[in-house]
Amino acid sequence: MPSGRFAPSPTGRLHLGNLRTALVAWLFARSDGAPFYLRFEDLDTASIRDEHYISQADDLQAIGLDWDKPTLRQSDRLDAYETAIEQLLAEDLLYPCYCSRREIREAAQAPNNPHAGRRYPGTCRTLSTVERSARATVREPAFRVRAHGEVRHFIDRAAGPQTFELDDFVVRRNDGTPAYHLAVVIDDAAQGIELVVRADDLLESTARHLFLYEKLDFTTPEHAHIPLVLAPSGDRLAKRHGAVDLDDQAARGNRPADVRSFLASTLGLCEEGQPAELADLLAAFTMAALPTEPLVLPESMLGDGGDTP
Ligand code: GLU
Ligand code: ZN
């Protein structure tokens, strides 16, 4: 009985890839009669717009998905994240980091850094009190976990066995905003989510989340990371690739139910071009329907001019 959720960031219209991940997440929960929630991950305020909360919920509904109450917004839950940050601080699991982006980039590119370019090199992990006070006069710190380069293993229900080495990731940015990695863990735990379904660009981040579940004494959910939907060129799907959202598809004569059928056919749940009623999809859905390879959209789905730069 894996309760689930879909957690979009309201920064734009949902595209076919988002809708496909949402459909899989919904099928997992609802084929088992389990709770399913919608949660808006809206801490990244720069590109959040009111209209996107509305269009995202509308588009999910249009392809037939439903969800239980409450619909959370992370921006309403800052107190919960702050409480967790205090708990982690009290347990000496965090340290302040005063590095600017540029400093991190430069240190990460240093020839003796084994993780060149990718990871925080640990500059502020062992600052003395004196060094810390000196750096504190320059800027507000972000807070990072002391991960000690720990290696995490887990079994993803779609992607299989995984191993990642943790870095000292940020849980609170230097403008005071809680990081996604912290907020997602607090929310999934608070909502009792048992199976996290999302796109596989977040596969590596799961190691970070497992670290936080453990340190915060939460029950760890299972994960299923769904390969991305790609443009015909193999690029990550974007607006410029053509008819990527439900409005564009409607303009091409594809109703939301047609889009649902197309998405379901890419999951092996119905024949291409056949109607896909929700009841049939719920009955047909099994673990075996989980995609393990990226879906490259056919030109025919995206229409004229798709994929031109
Ligand atoms: N908000 C993330 C996104 O839109 C998804 C995060 C998650 O499902 O954990 O890509
Ligand atoms: Zn630092």
Side-chain angles (χ1 to χ4, degrees), residues 97-130:
C97 167
Y98 300 93
C99 300
S100 65
R101 273 172 209 270
R102 177 151 170 235
E103 283 168 327
I104 294 173
R105 202 171 50 239
E106 285 173 2
Q109 282 162 355
N112 58 353
N113 172 25
H115 307 298
R118 223 162 53 85
R119 290 158 165 262
Y120 178 66
T123 321
C124 297
R125 193 186 301 135
T126 52
L127 292 183
S128 67
T129 320
V130 176

Side-chain angles (χ1 to χ4, degrees), residues 3-6 26 30 34-40 57 61 65-73 77 187 190-193:
S3 58
R5 76 339 182 247
F6 181 61
W26 181 87
R30 294 305 204 207
F36 184 72
Y37 301 101
L38 174 62
R39 179 169 75 230
F40 288 110
Q61 249 160 4
L65 309 193
D66 66 343
W67 49 89
D68 295 301
K69 285 197 168 28
T71 295
L72 296 188
R73 290 184 178 203
R77 293 182 39 74
D187 291 342
Q191 293 196 284
I193 302 302

Side-chain angles (χ1 to χ4, degrees), residues 5 7-9 41 180 184 197-198 202:
R5 76 339 182 247
S9 302
E41 304 212 317
Y180 156 74
V184 72
V197 177
R198 62 187 169 208
L202 287 163

Side-chain angles (χ1 to χ4, degrees), residues 45-295:
T45 46
S47 38
I48 308 285
R49 302 273 177 280
D50 281 348
E51 73 218 52
H52 302 318
Y53 297 89
I54 297 165
S55 78
Q56 293 192 343
D58 285 353
D59 287 351
L60 294 170
Q61 249 160 4
I63 61 163
L65 309 193
D66 66 343
W67 49 89
D68 295 301
K69 285 197 168 28
T71 295
L72 296 188
R73 290 184 178 203
Q74 290 189 325
S75 55
D76 290 334
R77 293 182 39 74
L78 298 178
D79 289 350
Y81 311 138
E82 217 32 58
T83 304
I85 287 168
E86 275 158 29
Q87 183 184 335
L88 293 169
L89 271 173
E91 292 175 28
D92 197 28
L93 287 162
L94 306 183
Y95 63 87
C97 167
Y98 300 93
C99 300
S100 65
R101 273 172 209 270
R102 177 151 170 235
E103 283 168 327
I104 294 173
R105 202 171 50 239
E106 285 173 2
Q109 282 162 355
N112 58 353
N113 172 25
H115 307 298
R118 223 162 53 85
R119 290 158 165 262
Y120 178 66
T123 321
C124 297
R125 193 186 301 135
T126 52
L127 292 183
S128 67
T129 320
V130 176
E131 287 168 321
R132 203 166 272 176
S133 324
R135 298 202 70 180
T137 58
V138 180
R139 71 168 56 79
E140 288 295 315
F143 280 86
R144 293 181 178 273
V145 299
R146 290 183 198 284
H148 299 289
E150 202 180 296
V151 175
R152 288 262 152 182
H153 305 281
F154 62 96
I155 298 185
D156 188 89
R157 288 188 65 176
Q162 305 295 322
T163 300
F164 293 108
E165 186 187 329
L166 288 176
D167 62 346
D168 287 358
F169 59 95
V170 169
V171 293
R172 185 167 69 187
R173 304 201 308 232
N174 90 324
D175 63 2
T177 312
Y180 156 74
H181 299 303
L182 179 82
V184 72
V185 165
I186 307 294
D187 291 342
D188 282 333
Q191 293 196 284
I193 302 302
E194 290 157 313
L195 179 65
V196 171
V197 177
R198 62 187 169 208
D200 72 358
D201 53 344
L202 287 163
L203 187 57
E204 183 165 359
S205 298
T206 303
R208 298 170 162 187
H209 304 169
L210 295 176
F211 175 89
L212 290 176
Y213 279 109
E214 187 182 292
K215 301 303 179 200
L216 291 165
D217 249 336
F218 293 148
T219 306
T220 305
E222 288 199 278
H223 292 82
H225 285 86
I226 308 300
L228 294 175
V229 173
L230 305 175
S233 57
D235 292 329
R236 217 182 148 117
L237 195 61
K239 186 78 194 149
R240 69 188 162 87
H241 293 124
V244 298
D245 67 38
L246 287 187
D247 267 0
D248 305 333
Q249 287 292 326
R252 306 184 69 241
N254 291 330
R255 297 161 307 151
D258 303 323
V259 174
R260 178 174 71 223
S261 296
F262 168 75
L263 296 174
S265 74
T266 70
L267 297 165
L269 294 173
C270 71
E271 295 297 321
E272 213 180 320
Q274 296 302 306
E277 295 309 325
L278 288 168
D280 297 335
L281 295 182
L282 287 166
F285 186 71
T286 65
M287 272 293 293
L290 274 179
T292 53
E293 296 293 329
L295 169 69

